[in-house]
């Protein structure tokens, strides 16, 4: 509740009112400085009317404080960061998974710069923080510094928060723009060789249950992200045209559980054609789900998702990642045992993860002569530039082929 304090002149006349709103306590337990504003009544008003108007102003000011609309560049970076992430997540400006990631990053950011007032924050503070992150021992697992990619994730988090402060006119410019984070060289995307992809397909179709066959075939033949594949619903599958509509993203966080969300970008909403063989496998899974529903009876969890567990519950995206890892470990042990008695050794499976299938899908399309625009649209890249950037090595090979084709045409 707002507190109102009248200020009087020598004649005991009210000249203004000081309004203060309690802000609570900081992470150290100390009471935070309250939000404060001044209300000046019209000199012509009676004292009773002035107090009434001050009460009205106090109610409005308290509401603005609670909703985060009060400009206060004296607040600390820590307090403002918490407000920004909560506000942007609540208003759909941040995805829940992104907000969760930012809150994790803040666990390191707050001890370093959280205590600094917004208006006092300097580029040097950020540069020092980035140096600390790269120091040996920061990474608990490797005992080394954090990778450049990870440090840039901290930089992007800080930049987003300060950019919000610029928009709210709490600071004149974004300090993060003037800091010097480490430069990151984008690695070219790793992908499976054609023969390796065929082996993976053969192993899954031979040894894995139908639901995992369909999961891997969707990753393989569409280049879809794992959340898009898990979020695919039966009514978005066109059997006659052998196409599927990616328009939903299934996500999971411990706080919210499983939930539907928008796709990563507007261009991610797309129709993808698959070959009849994949569609037949999808039809088999739909029929299998009907059998599961009969067997489970009242225990069946009815939903519209294509991929699900035997009790009908949707498949969590991280389950796909874990299953691929377990599959890789299981088969590499089998391959290792077989190689003990073989003259011609079998190559072990490479690291399997959902995104590797996406990279492979794009890479093989480009190597086969598909133009970058078509390839980028098929996998939902925001721009064909992404394909040029991530698949530079493939583009070079495609360029060599184009040169040879042109030469053949003239000759």
């Amino acid at each position: 509740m707002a507190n109102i304090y009248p200020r009087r002149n020598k004649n005991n006349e009210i000249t203004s009112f000081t309004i203060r709103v309690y802000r609570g306590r900081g992470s150290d337990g100390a009471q935070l400085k309250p939000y404060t504003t001044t209300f000046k009544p019209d000199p012509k008003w009676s004292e009773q009317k002035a107090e009434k108007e001050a009460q009205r102003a106090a109610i409005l000011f308290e509401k603005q404080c609670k909703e985060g609309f009060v400009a206060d560049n004296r607040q600390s970076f820590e307090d403002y960061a918490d407000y920004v992430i909560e506000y942007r997540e609540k208003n759909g400006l941040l995805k829940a998974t992104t907000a969760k990631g930012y809150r994790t990053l803040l666990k390191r950011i707050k001890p370093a710069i959280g205590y600094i007032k917004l208006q006092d924050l300097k580029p040097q503070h950020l540069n020092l923080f980035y140096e600390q992150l790269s120091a040996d021992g920061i990474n608990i697992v490797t005992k080394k510094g954090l990778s450049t990619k990870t440090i840039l994730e901290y930089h992007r988090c800080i930049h987003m928060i300060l950019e919000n402060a610029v928009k709210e006119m709490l600071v004149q410019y974004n300090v993060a723009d003037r800091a010097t984070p480490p430069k990151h060289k984008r690695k070219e995307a790793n992908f499976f060789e054609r023969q390796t992809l065929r082996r993976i397909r053969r192993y899954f179709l031979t040894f894995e249950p139908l639901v995992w066959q369909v999961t891997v075939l969707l990753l393989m033949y569409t280049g879809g992200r794992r959340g898009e594949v898990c979020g695919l619903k039966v009514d978005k599958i066109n059997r006659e045209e052998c196409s599927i509509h990616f328009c939903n993203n299934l996500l999971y966080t411990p706080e919210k559980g499983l939930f539907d969300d928008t796709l990563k970008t507007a261009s991610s909403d797309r129709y993808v054609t698959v070959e009849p063989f994949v569609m037949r496998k999808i039809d088999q899974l739909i029929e299998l789900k009907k059998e599961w529903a009969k067997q489970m009876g009242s225990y069946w969890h009815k939903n519209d998702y294509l991929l699900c567990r035997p009790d009908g519950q949707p498949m969590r995206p991280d389950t796909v990642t874990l299953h691929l890892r377990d599959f890789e470990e299981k088969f590499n042990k089998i391959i290792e045992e077989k190689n003990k008695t073989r003259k011609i050794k079998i190559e072990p499976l490479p690291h399997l993860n959902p995104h590797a299938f996406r990279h492979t899908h794009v890479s093989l399309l480009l190597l086969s002569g598909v133009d970058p625009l078509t390839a980028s649209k098929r996998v939902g890249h925001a721009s064909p530039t992404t394909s040029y950037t991530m698949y530079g090595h493939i583009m070079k090979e495609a360029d060599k082929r184009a040169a040879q084709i042109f030469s053949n045409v003239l000759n």
Side-chain angles (χ1 to χ4, degrees):
M1 182 177 177
N3 296 312
I4 305 172
Y5 303 95
R7 300 182 66 180
R8 298 176 182 271
N9 58 18
K10 294 179 180 179
N11 298 324
N12 201 33
E13 297 171 339
I14 295 178
T15 57
S16 64
F17 293 87
T18 298
I19 303 173
R20 292 175 181 164
V21 175
Y22 178 66
R23 290 180 58 196
R25 298 182 180 275
S27 57
D28 58 355
Q31 184 169 314
L32 299 172
K33 184 180 178 180
Y35 291 116
T36 305
T37 190
T38 301
F39 173 75
K40 291 185 177 182
D42 191 318
K44 298 178 181 178
W45 290 347
S46 65
E47 186 169 310
Q48 184 178 5
K49 180 174 176 59
E51 290 177 349
K52 185 177 180 180
E53 292 298 326
Q55 288 282 354
R56 186 177 300 174
I59 293 172
L60 178 60
F61 181 65
E62 184 177 17
K63 184 175 183 294
Q64 292 174 335
C65 292
K66 289 181 178 179
E67 294 179 354
F69 296 132
V70 176
D72 179 16
N73 58 5
R74 293 299 303 169
Q75 61 186 304
S76 67
F77 180 87
E78 176 178 350
D79 293 334
Y80 187 69
D82 289 336
Y83 148 71
V84 170
I85 293 176
E86 182 178 353
Y87 173 79
R88 292 179 70 85
E89 181 183 11
K90 184 173 68 175
N91 289 276
L93 302 174
L94 273 184
K95 293 185 179 294
T97 49
T98 305
K100 180 178 180 291
Y102 281 158
R103 289 190 178 99
T104 301
L105 296 176
L106 283 175
K107 292 178 181 178
R108 273 202 177 107
I109 295 173
K110 286 181 178 180
I113 63 171
Y115 65 93
I116 302 174
K117 300 291 188 289
L118 283 176
Q119 67 176 19
D120 296 334
L121 194 61
K122 299 290 187 292
Q124 294 90 328
H125 293 127
L126 303 187
N127 292 339
L128 180 61
F129 174 55
Y130 301 148
E131 287 182 17
Q132 293 171 350
L133 293 178
S134 63
D136 288 343
I138 293 294
N139 189 317
I140 300 175
V141 178
T142 64
K143 305 302 180 184
K144 297 180 180 179
L146 300 183
S147 67
T148 299
K149 180 182 177 182
T150 303
I151 295 175
L152 287 175
E153 289 177 1
Y154 282 92
H155 174 70
R156 282 190 286 270
C157 176
I158 294 170
H159 188 280
M160 182 276 297
I161 293 165
L162 293 177
E163 191 63 27
N164 201 86
V166 173
K167 290 180 179 179
E168 294 186 347
M169 296 185 292
L170 299 179
V171 292
Q172 291 185 346
Y173 62 89
N174 191 332
V175 171
D177 284 332
R178 305 189 182 188
T180 311
K183 291 185 178 181
H184 176 59
K185 292 183 179 179
R186 182 187 288 272
K187 293 182 179 179
E188 292 182 334
N190 292 324
F191 66 100
F192 304 133
E193 296 294 337
R194 196 170 313 197
Q195 292 300 328
T196 301
L197 194 64
R198 287 172 177 164
R199 284 176 58 208
I200 295 169
R201 182 182 61 181
R202 185 173 73 251
Y203 289 164
F204 265 90
L205 292 179
T206 304
F207 300 106
E208 290 295 282
L210 181 61
V211 65
W212 288 112
Q213 293 179 32
V214 174
T215 302
V216 169
L217 288 175
L218 285 172
L219 292 171
M220 190 180 293
Y221 281 85
T222 69
R225 303 175 179 92
R226 67 176 191 177
E228 296 171 344
V229 170
C230 290
L232 177 62
K233 297 184 179 181
V234 175
D235 63 350
K236 301 303 177 183
I237 300 170
N238 189 322
R239 295 179 179 83
E240 293 181 359
E241 297 185 1
C242 285
S243 71
I244 59 177
H245 183 194
F246 283 131
C247 57
N248 187 58
N249 199 14
L250 188 65
L251 300 176
Y252 172 84
T253 64
E255 297 80 12
K256 296 182 66 173
L258 276 170
F259 62 95
D260 286 327
D261 202 353
T262 55
L263 297 177
K264 186 175 181 180
T265 63
S267 57
S268 296
D269 190 318
R270 64 200 187 278
Y271 291 86
V272 180
T273 303
V274 296
E275 66 173 76
F277 160 70
V278 177
M279 194 57 65
R280 287 195 296 272
K281 282 292 181 179
I282 290 174
D283 285 336
Q284 290 175 20
L285 180 57
I286 292 173
E287 292 303 314
L288 178 60
K289 285 181 63 178
K290 293 178 182 178
E291 292 297 322
W292 284 349
K294 290 179 183 178
Q295 295 171 7
M296 296 298 295
S298 60
Y299 294 100
W300 174 256
H301 296 267
K302 186 178 180 180
N303 63 70
D304 299 325
Y305 299 104
L306 172 67
L307 302 178
C308 68
R309 291 157 44 179
D311 62 357
Q313 294 192 52
M315 184 181 293
R316 278 173 45 174
D318 56 344
T319 303
V320 178
T321 303
L322 293 174
H323 188 85
L324 288 174
R325 185 192 67 187
D326 293 343
F327 179 87
E328 172 197 338
E329 292 177 355
K330 177 178 69 176
F331 262 81
N332 278 341
K333 287 180 180 177
I334 295 173
I335 291 171
E336 185 179 357
E337 285 298 315
K338 285 190 173 184
N339 281 341
K340 291 179 180 178
T341 57
R342 288 176 60 96
K343 291 183 178 180
I344 301 176
K345 306 299 182 184
I346 305 172
E347 286 290 327
L349 290 175
H351 175 54
L352 300 183
N353 64 84
H355 226 66
F357 288 100
R358 179 174 173 82
H359 291 321
T360 302
H361 189 84
V362 179
S363 298
L364 293 182
L365 287 177
L366 296 175
L367 280 172
S368 301
V370 175
D371 63 278
L373 179 60
T374 301
S376 66
K377 284 186 175 180
R378 184 169 174 84
V379 295
H381 281 158
S383 167
T385 306
T386 306
S387 297
Y388 281 104
T389 305
M390 295 183 66
Y391 304 96
H393 57 308
I394 303 298
M395 297 302 298
K396 289 178 182 178
E397 289 296 322
D399 185 62
K400 290 178 182 178
R401 291 188 180 188
Q404 186 61 51
I405 291 172
F406 187 78
S407 177
N408 293 340
V409 170
L410 289 183
N411 293 331

